[in-house]
Amino acid sequence: MPARVDLPQSWLDPILHPGMKGYPHASPVLRRSEIGMQGWDVLAGNLPLPLAVIKQRELDHNIRWMQRYCAENAIALAPHGKTTMSPQLFQRQLAGGAWGITVATVQQLQVAIAAGALHVLIANEVITSIDLRAIVHLKRENPNLQILFLIDSTEQIDLIEAVDEDHPFDVLLEIGYAGGRTGCRTEEAAMALARQARSSSCVRLVGIECYEGLGATGEDGHDRAFAQDLMRVVSDVAVLADRENLFDSTTVILSAGGSGIFDLVVPALRQRLSRPVTGILRSGCYITHDQGHYRRFVSAVDRRLGCSEGLGLKAAMEVWTTVQSIPEPDLAILAVGKRDISFDMGWPLPLATYARGKALRVEAPKGWQVSGMNDQHAYLRGDMRSLAVGDRIVLGLSHPCTTFDKWRWMPIVDDDYRVVDAIVTFF
């Protein structure tokens, strides 16, 4: 087995304690690995609210579903770790068959390595000397570790060369689009950069990359045309670079990766070149999915794939809270806010209620909606006659990334909301 970089136990099995949000107030200090043996029960009120929980059945289903999708389409999967920043979830994804882990920064890179990833793709441009030298150090610690990052400008290559490290960096050339984020805007600019990379002793061009997620709308016609235009440029640059022998590797990597229209970019990741091609998908939010933003996008993916209802990705995360006050007949104030759940891509969605001290789940009325949030409060509007102060509310979310980053730990629960495991995060 290849050697790998091992970081201290505190990364993988840290100590959890009552000072952490959601941790039982009177519980002793415990290792993360001990949490699942405590017999804690969310329905029995053993954990303080608000509380973010991950449902084990749905989590495992999503990992299997995406891995199977990639295998059936003859591509590899490098899940974007920025979604969860949890080494325990990285380990589950790697154990499920993931080729590696994608990250956005060198700090995130180190968490992926701690989880055991031997292939890590930094889906971002690395430009500072401190980050570049950190990559060199990590590679020297473990020669079997493959680290890739993106390039999109001649100035970036100049900065890399100025670091003066006797170590070539493996890079992917990023293709962008007008109005988008990073990436070369034209085929001509991409080819000029590819030629400069081939002539540099500091970088090894090993593939082409793009990120399609920000251009997606959820409208099928628009998304098809957008993805086809972007991936056509990726394919054209790959063919031209291959023809000019600009790739400095035996295998060419072609990579794309969002969680909204991943099915529309996959065909172009199987481009035929003069040397073998490895297509890599980098979706991240699939692991817990959601009840809002990504549910809307992936419902369109399900239609395009002909996936039967209920067989696709499933929402695996919820945030539980309590009714703190009912000051008006059509308004309840919930003890949860922007510090606890995502709000950047839509307000939380009321899913269900549990009366105070009861274990009976009642689905939330269709007319209920969260209309706003403060740091610690949410405004639930609708007919509140069925609610009482102290009742529990289960909220769905829209955008898992910005819920994960609000929690230092989360319990994993079974179908009866008994705590069976736990994860930690490193944001």
Side-chain angles (χ1 to χ4, degrees):
M1 174 181 288
R4 66 189 184 198
V5 178
D6 287 319
L7 290 177
Q9 184 186 27
S10 59
W11 285 62
L12 300 177
D13 197 22
I15 290 174
L16 306 185
H17 53 80
M20 302 174 78
K21 182 170 62 174
Y23 194 91
H25 303 310
S27 174
V29 170
L30 296 168
R31 289 277 179 192
R32 181 210 60 82
S33 59
E34 297 174 309
I35 298 298
M37 299 180 285
Q38 302 307 306
W40 294 345
D41 186 329
V42 176
L43 292 178
N46 297 152
L47 297 96
L49 306 184
L51 179 72
V53 303
I54 298 173
K55 299 192 287 185
Q56 180 169 250
R57 182 188 297 271
E58 288 79 1
L59 175 73
D60 292 343
H61 166 85
N62 292 345
I63 292 173
R64 289 193 303 269
W65 189 96
M66 186 59 81
Q67 196 65 51
R68 183 171 62 249
Y69 171 79
C70 288
E72 290 173 351
N73 284 275
I75 59 171
L77 177 64
H80 209 318
K82 72 172 177 59
T83 296
T84 69
M85 281 311 299
S86 170
Q88 292 77 36
L89 293 180
F90 294 174
Q91 288 177 325
R92 284 177 179 248
Q93 291 169 308
L94 292 167
W99 171 86
I101 297 293
T102 298
V103 297
T105 69
V106 172
Q107 174 262 327
Q108 295 175 6
L109 164 67
Q110 295 180 76
V111 178
I113 294 170
L118 293 175
H119 305 276
V120 186
L121 195 164
I122 304 175
N124 213 348
E125 283 70 20
V126 179
I127 58 173
T128 65
S129 60
I130 191 171
D131 284 344
L132 292 164
R133 290 195 172 104
I135 291 173
V136 172
H137 171 74
L138 289 167
K139 281 285 293 176
R140 285 174 178 160
E141 287 285 316
N142 185 355
N144 295 306
L145 181 65
Q146 183 180 26
I147 301 172
L148 313 168
F149 63 83
L150 312 186
I151 58 170
D152 75 346
S153 70
T154 59
E155 292 87 352
Q156 183 188 359
I157 292 183
D158 292 341
L159 290 170
I160 294 170
E161 290 176 339
V163 171
D164 193 27
E165 286 281 357
D166 184 22
H167 188 291
F169 296 93
D170 288 348
V171 297
L172 304 175
L173 191 154
E174 182 173 23
I175 303 297
Y177 54 91
R181 203 161 57 190
T182 48
C184 296
R185 293 309 200 246
T186 66
E187 183 178 303
E188 293 73 20
M191 288 305 300
L193 184 59
R195 295 182 187 109
Q196 182 185 5
R198 189 67 175 94
S199 66
S200 173
S201 62
C202 294
V203 298
R204 295 173 62 246
L205 183 63
V206 301
I208 310 293
E209 181 273 353
C210 71
Y211 171 57
E212 77 285 354
L214 294 180
T217 65
E219 195 281 310
D220 196 57
H222 170 277
D223 290 349
R224 284 183 184 276
F226 168 76
Q228 287 172 357
D229 288 345
L230 178 60
M231 300 312 293
R232 186 180 302 114
V233 178
V234 171
S235 297
D236 289 349
V237 171
V239 168
L240 290 172
D242 182 52
R243 189 175 299 162
E244 293 187 29
N245 197 32
L246 300 181
F247 293 116
D248 195 9
S249 58
T250 56
T251 299
V252 175
I253 290 174
L254 298 181
S255 179
S259 294
I261 57 170
F262 56 85
D263 63 310
L264 298 179
V265 300
V266 161
L269 302 182
R270 300 191 295 261
Q271 177 73 48
R272 289 184 176 274
L273 300 176
S274 67
R275 63 193 77 193
V277 171
T278 297
I280 299 176
L281 187 67
R282 306 190 311 274
S283 301
C285 293
Y286 78 90
I287 189 168
T288 59
H289 199 41
D290 71 13
Q291 296 89 348
H293 176 79
Y294 282 106
R295 179 181 181 181
R296 181 172 69 88
F297 273 83
V298 177
S299 64
V301 174
D302 289 343
R303 289 195 299 272
R304 291 191 292 264
L305 295 178
C307 187
S308 301
E309 186 174 356
L311 297 181
L313 296 174
K314 301 177 185 294
M317 196 188 325
E318 298 170 345
V319 175
W320 287 52
T321 187
T322 49
V323 177
Q324 191 173 57
S325 176
I326 307 178
E328 301 169 17
D330 60 352
L331 173 65
I333 304 299
L334 309 183
V336 66
K338 293 180 179 180
R339 304 284 187 180
D340 312 305
I341 191 169
S342 56
F343 57 91
D344 58 316
M345 292 184 176
W347 297 121
L349 298 96
L351 300 179
T353 68
Y354 287 84
R356 184 176 64 251
K358 305 293 183 181
L360 176 65
R361 183 183 180 99
V362 177
E363 298 306 306
K366 292 186 181 299
W368 282 8
Q369 61 178 349
V370 173
S371 64
M373 290 196 298
N374 306 132
D375 281 359
Q376 311 288 169
H377 300 90
Y379 298 78
L380 178 63
R381 298 192 180 274
D383 187 343
M384 298 293 115
R385 286 178 293 180
S386 63
L387 272 189
V389 171
D391 286 352
R392 292 165 291 180
I393 304 288
V394 183
L395 296 173
L397 50 122
S398 188
H399 195 195
C401 295
T402 50
T403 295
F404 271 105
D405 66 13
K406 302 178 192 313
W407 296 86
R408 293 172 60 193
W409 83 287
M410 291 184 190
I412 296 178
V413 299
D414 66 13
D415 292 349
D416 296 316
Y417 291 95
R418 292 184 294 254
V419 176
V420 295
D421 201 353
I423 67 156
V424 294
T425 65
F426 286 90
F427 286 96

Short mmCIF file of all heavy atoms in Angstrom, two decimals, residues 194 198 205 238-249 274-275:
data_model
loop_
_atom_site.label_atom_id
_atom_site.label_comp_id
_atom_site.label_asym_id
_atom_site.label_seq_id
_atom_site.Cartn_x
_atom_site.Cartn_y
_atom_site.Cartn_z
N ALA A 194 -1.14 27.24 -22.78
CA ALA A 194 -0.70 25.85 -22.85
C ALA A 194 0.72 25.76 -23.41
O ALA A 194 1.55 24.98 -22.92
CB ALA A 194 -1.66 25.03 -23.71
N ARG A 198 4.07 24.40 -21.44
CA ARG A 198 4.92 23.31 -21.97
C ARG A 198 6.39 23.72 -22.00
O ARG A 198 7.28 22.88 -21.80
CB ARG A 198 4.47 22.94 -23.39
CG ARG A 198 5.15 21.68 -23.93
CD ARG A 198 4.69 20.49 -23.11
NE ARG A 198 5.20 19.23 -23.64
CZ ARG A 198 6.31 18.63 -23.22
NH1 ARG A 198 7.05 19.19 -22.27
NH2 ARG A 198 6.69 17.48 -23.74
N LEU A 205 1.85 20.46 -17.66
CA LEU A 205 0.45 20.51 -18.07
C LEU A 205 -0.07 19.09 -18.22
O LEU A 205 0.41 18.32 -19.07
CB LEU A 205 0.31 21.27 -19.39
CG LEU A 205 -1.13 21.45 -19.89
CD1 LEU A 205 -1.94 22.30 -18.90
CD2 LEU A 205 -1.15 22.09 -21.28
N ALA A 238 -8.36 20.71 -25.79
CA ALA A 238 -7.72 19.43 -25.51
C ALA A 238 -7.18 18.79 -26.78
O ALA A 238 -6.05 18.28 -26.81
CB ALA A 238 -8.71 18.49 -24.83
N VAL A 239 -7.96 18.83 -27.85
CA VAL A 239 -7.53 18.24 -29.12
C VAL A 239 -6.31 18.99 -29.68
O VAL A 239 -5.32 18.38 -30.12
CB VAL A 239 -8.69 18.25 -30.14
CG1 VAL A 239 -8.18 17.91 -31.54
CG2 VAL A 239 -9.77 17.26 -29.72
N LEU A 240 -6.37 20.32 -29.66
CA LEU A 240 -5.26 21.11 -30.19
C LEU A 240 -3.99 20.92 -29.37
O LEU A 240 -2.89 20.79 -29.91
CB LEU A 240 -5.65 22.59 -30.24
CG LEU A 240 -6.71 22.98 -31.28
CD1 LEU A 240 -7.14 24.43 -31.08
CD2 LEU A 240 -6.18 22.77 -32.69
N ALA A 241 -4.14 20.93 -28.03
CA ALA A 241 -2.98 20.74 -27.17
C ALA A 241 -2.38 19.35 -27.36
O ALA A 241 -1.14 19.18 -27.35
CB ALA A 241 -3.37 20.95 -25.71
N ASP A 242 -3.21 18.37 -27.56
CA ASP A 242 -2.73 17.02 -27.81
C ASP A 242 -1.99 16.96 -29.14
O ASP A 242 -0.91 16.34 -29.25
CB ASP A 242 -3.92 16.06 -27.80
CG ASP A 242 -3.50 14.61 -28.01
OD1 ASP A 242 -2.62 14.14 -27.28
OD2 ASP A 242 -4.07 13.97 -28.91
N ARG A 243 -2.54 17.62 -30.14
CA ARG A 243 -1.93 17.61 -31.47
C ARG A 243 -0.55 18.27 -31.45
O ARG A 243 0.37 17.82 -32.15
CB ARG A 243 -2.85 18.35 -32.45
CG ARG A 243 -2.47 18.24 -33.91
CD ARG A 243 -3.54 18.91 -34.74
NE ARG A 243 -4.83 18.26 -34.58
CZ ARG A 243 -6.01 18.83 -34.91
NH1 ARG A 243 -6.03 20.07 -35.38
NH2 ARG A 243 -7.13 18.17 -34.73
N GLU A 244 -0.39 19.30 -30.62
CA GLU A 244 0.89 20.01 -30.52
C GLU A 244 1.80 19.40 -29.46
O GLU A 244 2.88 19.93 -29.17
CB GLU A 244 0.66 21.48 -30.20
CG GLU A 244 -0.01 22.27 -31.31
CD GLU A 244 -0.06 23.77 -31.01
OE1 GLU A 244 0.84 24.27 -30.29
OE2 GLU A 244 -1.00 24.43 -31.50
N ASN A 245 1.38 18.29 -28.86
CA ASN A 245 2.18 17.60 -27.84
C ASN A 245 2.49 18.52 -26.66
O ASN A 245 3.62 18.53 -26.13
CB ASN A 245 3.47 17.05 -28.44
CG ASN A 245 4.12 16.01 -27.54
OD1 ASN A 245 3.43 15.27 -26.83
ND2 ASN A 245 5.45 15.97 -27.54
N LEU A 246 1.48 19.26 -26.19
CA LEU A 246 1.67 20.20 -25.10
C LEU A 246 1.44 19.56 -23.73
O LEU A 246 1.83 20.14 -22.71
CB LEU A 246 0.74 21.40 -25.27
CG LEU A 246 0.93 22.21 -26.57
CD1 LEU A 246 -0.03 23.39 -26.60
CD2 LEU A 246 2.37 22.69 -26.71
N PHE A 247 0.81 18.40 -23.70
CA PHE A 247 0.60 17.73 -22.41
C PHE A 247 1.88 17.01 -21.99
O PHE A 247 2.53 16.33 -22.80
CB PHE A 247 -0.55 16.73 -22.50
CG PHE A 247 -1.89 17.36 -22.71
CD1 PHE A 247 -2.61 17.14 -23.88
CD2 PHE A 247 -2.43 18.20 -21.75
CE1 PHE A 247 -3.85 17.73 -24.08
CE2 PHE A 247 -3.67 18.80 -21.94
CZ PHE A 247 -4.38 18.56 -23.11
N ASP A 248 2.23 17.17 -20.74
CA ASP A 248 3.47 16.59 -20.22
C ASP A 248 3.15 15.44 -19.28
O ASP A 248 3.61 15.38 -18.14
CB ASP A 248 4.26 17.68 -19.49
CG ASP A 248 5.70 17.28 -19.22
OD1 ASP A 248 6.13 16.24 -19.75
OD2 ASP A 248 6.38 18.00 -18.47
N SER A 249 2.32 14.51 -19.76
CA SER A 249 1.90 13.36 -18.95
C SER A 249 1.45 12.25 -19.87
O SER A 249 1.06 12.50 -21.03
CB SER A 249 0.75 13.76 -18.01
OG SER A 249 -0.35 14.25 -18.76
N SER A 274 -4.80 11.20 -28.47
CA SER A 274 -3.76 10.25 -28.87
C SER A 274 -3.22 9.47 -27.70
O SER A 274 -2.47 8.51 -27.87
CB SER A 274 -2.62 10.99 -29.57
OG SER A 274 -1.93 11.83 -28.65
N ARG A 275 -3.54 9.91 -26.48
CA ARG A 275 -3.12 9.21 -25.26
C ARG A 275 -4.35 9.00 -24.38
O ARG A 275 -5.38 9.63 -24.60
CB ARG A 275 -2.04 10.00 -24.54
CG ARG A 275 -2.47 11.37 -24.06
CD ARG A 275 -1.27 12.22 -23.63
NE ARG A 275 -0.56 12.75 -24.78
CZ ARG A 275 0.64 13.32 -24.72
NH1 ARG A 275 1.27 13.41 -23.56
NH2 ARG A 275 1.24 13.77 -25.80
#
